[in-house]
Amino acid sequence: MRKAALLYNPHSGRRKKHRLQDVDVAAAVFRAAGIDIDVAPTRAASDAAAQVRMAIRDGCDTIIACGGDGTVHDVLQGLAGRDAALGIIPLGTANALAHDLRLPMNVADAARALLTAVPNRIAVARIDFRDFNNLPSFRYFTVAAGVGVDAHLFYKLNRLIKDRMGMTAYYTKALHLWWTHRMRYFEAEYSSHDGATQKEPRLSELLAVRINFFGGLLRELAPGASLDRNDMRLVLCRTGNRALYLAYVFRGLLGMSGTVPGITLAYADTVTCRSVPGEKPENLYVEADGELLGRLPITLSMVPDALTVLVPKGHPTLAAH
């Protein structure tokens, strides 16, 4: 790391009142190490990719996303496929990717961890979807993408609730909404490079997960998922039984092994999802990295060797590369 751009989101996540102070602390760590650091707020989410491309054009070899998973997601759109590295200072609400990378949650400690981090080239996932104007669009993602119940919750819940109330209250509100909404179904096909295409004629939820450790209460959502792999770990929910959904979530909360009836896991590098007869596509939402994107149909795919990420030393799988 010689020249870096530190892009921060001034409007989301924890410690918003202290955001500029936190950004200054991180920047001071990098400057003390002799790194040329440019600091700028992210503008609209749609502008973040352009900010990243401009920073790389100006000679930055590292882009530091100072925020949560949404900020990382926005930065990723301009960074995927390029040589500059991604560093993260976790200042969001959930910080799932930062937890998976085993980054410290303290700002100064996270900045110092990036100074000695190991650059690791990984694959990223891509989701092609229809936006809310019914136009084709795509996004890259690093944490997870979802179709069905979880995306419906993102559609119904005002994201400001999470910022005002914190994750515990957000989960409580989400649980109530999830328990009362009508399940909707869709079909999916998925395959991996070494296997035949599998068909799922009726799903109420599909999650395509890339990380292993979410941190916080959730911990592990999809056992076997890893940024060290070139595929996605799918959670396939064939059931509309809400109790089985809860059983699966609590299995992750408690770190339990074993299966839940109606919910299976699979590996895939390509996935397609479409509505089924009787379900309107406009009622089936999709999300990636916690960002509501649009509606079905979608295609999920992998982009190998697409991103250099800075991994703290001592990471159980990635730092050894």
Side-chain angles (χ1 to χ4, degrees):
M1 192 191 307
R2 295 181 301 275
K3 182 176 182 180
L6 192 157
L7 302 179
Y8 68 94
N9 186 338
H11 301 301
S12 68
R14 58 192 172 90
R15 292 178 55 85
K16 281 186 289 185
K17 293 181 179 179
H18 306 280
R19 183 57 43 88
L20 292 179
Q21 177 184 339
D22 288 338
V23 169
D24 288 342
V25 167
V29 171
F30 295 122
R31 290 189 177 115
I35 294 166
D36 184 2
I37 187 90
D38 293 329
V39 177
T42 55
R43 299 186 290 268
S46 58
D47 293 336
Q51 288 181 266
V52 170
R53 289 190 291 266
M54 186 174 297
I56 295 172
R57 185 200 65 186
D58 291 341
C60 290
D61 55 59
T62 305
I63 307 296
I64 300 168
C66 196
D69 293 312
T71 303
V72 175
H73 179 82
D74 293 337
V75 165
L76 175 66
Q77 308 315 310
L79 195 52
R82 298 176 182 270
D83 292 332
L86 170 67
I88 300 171
I89 302 292
L91 282 178
T93 304
N95 302 301
L97 183 59
H99 280 296
D100 190 62
L101 294 174
R102 306 308 197 272
L103 278 161
M105 293 295 111
N106 175 272
V107 172
D109 290 344
R112 283 190 284 267
L114 292 181
L115 292 176
T116 59
V118 179
N120 193 304
R121 196 73 175 173
I122 64 170
V124 299
R126 169 174 163 150
I127 177 170
D128 289 77
F129 59 95
R130 308 292 294 191
D131 69 16
F132 286 106
N133 293 315
N134 202 33
L135 297 174
S137 187
F138 75 91
R139 283 272 176 147
Y140 301 106
F141 66 93
T142 56
V143 175
V147 184
V149 176
D150 75 313
H152 175 85
L153 297 182
F154 284 114
Y155 176 74
K156 288 292 187 180
L157 285 171
N158 186 330
R159 68 177 297 130
L160 292 178
I161 294 175
K162 182 175 67 173
D163 293 338
R164 291 197 202 107
M165 302 168 64
M167 288 306 293
T168 301
Y170 183 79
Y171 287 147
T172 302
K173 179 70 174 177
L175 181 62
H176 169 75
L177 183 60
W178 167 78
W179 194 260
T180 57
H181 98 281
R182 183 175 79 83
M183 292 284 187
R184 301 185 184 278
Y185 294 90
F186 58 94
E187 64 180 20
E189 294 183 2
Y190 64 91
S191 63
S192 60
H193 68 278
D194 57 354
T197 299
Q198 304 292 320
K199 295 184 178 181
E200 294 286 346
R202 186 175 168 86
L203 295 176
S204 57
E205 172 74 17
L206 181 146
L207 290 170
V209 183
R210 286 283 293 142
I211 68 171
N212 178 259
F213 179 66
F214 281 74
L217 292 174
L218 188 57
R219 301 203 300 179
E220 189 179 52
L221 180 62
S226 176
L227 292 174
D228 198 34
R229 298 177 59 96
N230 286 333
D231 56 15
M232 298 166 277
R233 189 61 160 159
L234 303 184
V235 181
L236 304 162
C237 301
R238 303 184 181 109
T239 180
N241 186 318
R242 301 174 197 274
L244 294 178
Y245 269 90
L246 284 179
Y248 184 83
V249 171
F250 277 106
R251 181 208 56 78
L253 292 177
L254 300 175
M256 299 168 60
S257 59
T259 60
V260 175
I263 300 177
T264 61
L265 299 173
Y267 289 108
D269 48 34
T270 61
V271 184
T272 59
C273 298
R274 294 176 292 270
S275 59
V276 297
E279 296 286 0
K280 297 179 180 179
E282 58 267 28
N283 292 329
L284 287 158
Y285 304 104
V286 300
E287 60 85 13
D289 291 346
E291 302 295 308
L292 184 68
L293 300 180
R295 301 181 173 98
L296 293 184
I298 66 164
T299 300
L300 302 171
S301 57
M302 293 302 303
V303 185
D305 191 36
L307 178 69
T308 299
V309 62
L310 296 180
V311 182
K313 289 184 175 179
H315 190 280
T317 58
L318 292 170
H321 288 203

